[in-house]
Amino acid sequence: MNYTKINKYSIIFFAVILFLLNGLSQVKAQELKAEISQDERMQWWRDAKFGMFIHWGLYSIPAGEWKGTEYDRIGEWIMNWAKIPPAEYRQLANQFNPQKFNPKEWVSLAKRAGMKYITLTSKHHEGFAMFKSYASDYNIIDATPYAKDIVKELAEECHKQGMPICFYYSHARDWNEPEALVHRKSDPMKLNFDSYFQRKVKPQLTEILTNYGPVGMIWFDTPLSIPKESAQELKELVRRLQPNCIISGRLGGGVQTDYSSMRDNQIPANVISGDWETPATLNDTWGFKKNDHNWKSASDLIRVLFDITAKGGNYLLNVGPDAEGVIPAPSVSILDEIGGWMDTYSEAIYGASESPFNVEFSWGNVTSKPGKLYLGIFDWPKKELCIEGLTNKVTKIHFLNDKNKMAINFKEIIKSNIDHHLLMIDLPDTAPDKAVSVLVVEIEGDVKVEDIICQNNKGTIALPGVIANVTKSGEPFELIFNNTGGGGAGNWRETDINLNWEFKVEIPGEYNIELVSAEIGYHEDPSWLDGHTVEVTMGDQKQTTIIKKERDEFNPRSQYWKKVYSSGGTLYFEKAGRYSINLNATDLKTKKIGKDFFGFTFRELNLLPIK
Ligand code: FHN
């Protein structure tokens, strides 16, 4: 017997078996991966809370100006505003040579700011791919003197620094594609959308999901009227190529995605259950504009970050690098300032749950972790802070920035006539932090708050729309407070809608009714509507009011849409106790913005004691 021969054959045989087994185990691993649960897919993103959006493309060259005319709207839409023919716009690629692009610096900046993921525009509406694409030569390698793959450079740096990289991809809107849209208004679905979809969208998505390692998320945008089947196909493509990859909220076609996306810069008025994210700007543009110097302050942005976390969402904050590849200096210093705050206070953000109180407080907001509440104080109250309605026993309170965790004095009070819990916390004269100071309240057991509204310590009875009992013709109805800019009801257009609240009054007497509504519309052009006739009814008392603007107020948590105040007469409470109040409209005006109609953008009703 020739042993050498047998050994040779058996080695080959075993090698083939091993190869097949290995192949099978890889397939198995893929299958196992495909079985990843939704919670597993979302966990890193849920903990992250704060991400960096990067809008970068050819639009950074005109930077808001075309042939001597400056356009005052968002910079990445210049092709649309200036009605630039695609052939002419494409010439910009010949100039794109961002020699100062330094991915290491960008990722380090995001890290310093406390941001836990980066989302880069791989292709925006202009149709230009920031990556090497075989599906279209309108891409960074084939069309620009720079000729290096920006998506690759940034992805590699992110992988090196342990930062999840996500790709924005404008799937429905492509102004370079006659079959998709060719800049501006027409609906691509009425053109030859499917041809563009098969030729460019699917191949390019395959490229970005195949060539750059693990992708944290695909951030689809402006779905327009994409057919359900096309949206479903994209979802399946992402799932097949990278089962761990999250699919953002704007896929369209009514297809379920992994989380919902608020409108740009929009912060809801209340806690929203489920996963959601607000994309937001640092100034008034996404893509670089040389003359947009309207920077938001770091303090305001820190408050927004805290507020979004307290409402259960993630904050995706944008930078728009210029044509040389430089992130504007003001963006860097604002982000560094936010990072300075995060160095001390991020415990109240990362992995934190939403507030157990489903209302905004005038002084700030609350995040939570087991056994702890983090009170984020935006406006420093004089001497003491009163937390209403917390029923847990409090064991200790200290400032989050105090390494020694020195105990702060507090009193727990129960107002027996209305069975209402107050936690009175002694405060020093000055705030430890100018943006958001954070108090840690340590409690016993799972957090529990009262489920009925009580008159607050300052005497006000605050009745937010989001916690009203809403009916339409007597049937339960949902008023949508989160599809409008300023958190006002977006769908109060019929007169058979009724809002009801139950609450407890401690101090009898006469109260003024204050009706607060909110601006709505695009942030460049907010809108508001007056003239509705509303009734406030309590027992046999009724007040009828025609809504008109008496004053408005900048809302730091919803920076583009103001709160609008109208007064609505008075109500009298004879004695302390439990009451019920109704709000309804007898005449409503409506207005169209884009495709949507809106009516009374009601936000909250306040009862203010007349001293
Ligand atoms: O049209 C885009 C816009 O340019 C920008 O990319 C934002 C970011 O959320 N999304 C779209 C508008 O909502």
Side-chain angles (χ1 to χ4, degrees), residues 17-31:
I17 295 288
L18 274 177
F19 177 76
L20 288 176
L21 280 176
N22 182 39
L24 275 177
S25 71
Q26 276 185 16
V27 171
K28 197 73 209 154
Q30 286 283 331
E31 277 171 15

Side-chain angles (χ1 to χ4, degrees), residues 53 55 74 76-77 124-125 168 173 219 221-222 250 264 279 286:
F53 215 167
H55 273 70
I74 46 183
E76 71 286 1
W77 273 63
H124 202 266
H125 308 334
Y168 171 108
R173 199 190 288 271
W219 215 96
D221 200 7
T222 66
R250 298 184 184 175
D264 297 348
W286 303 89

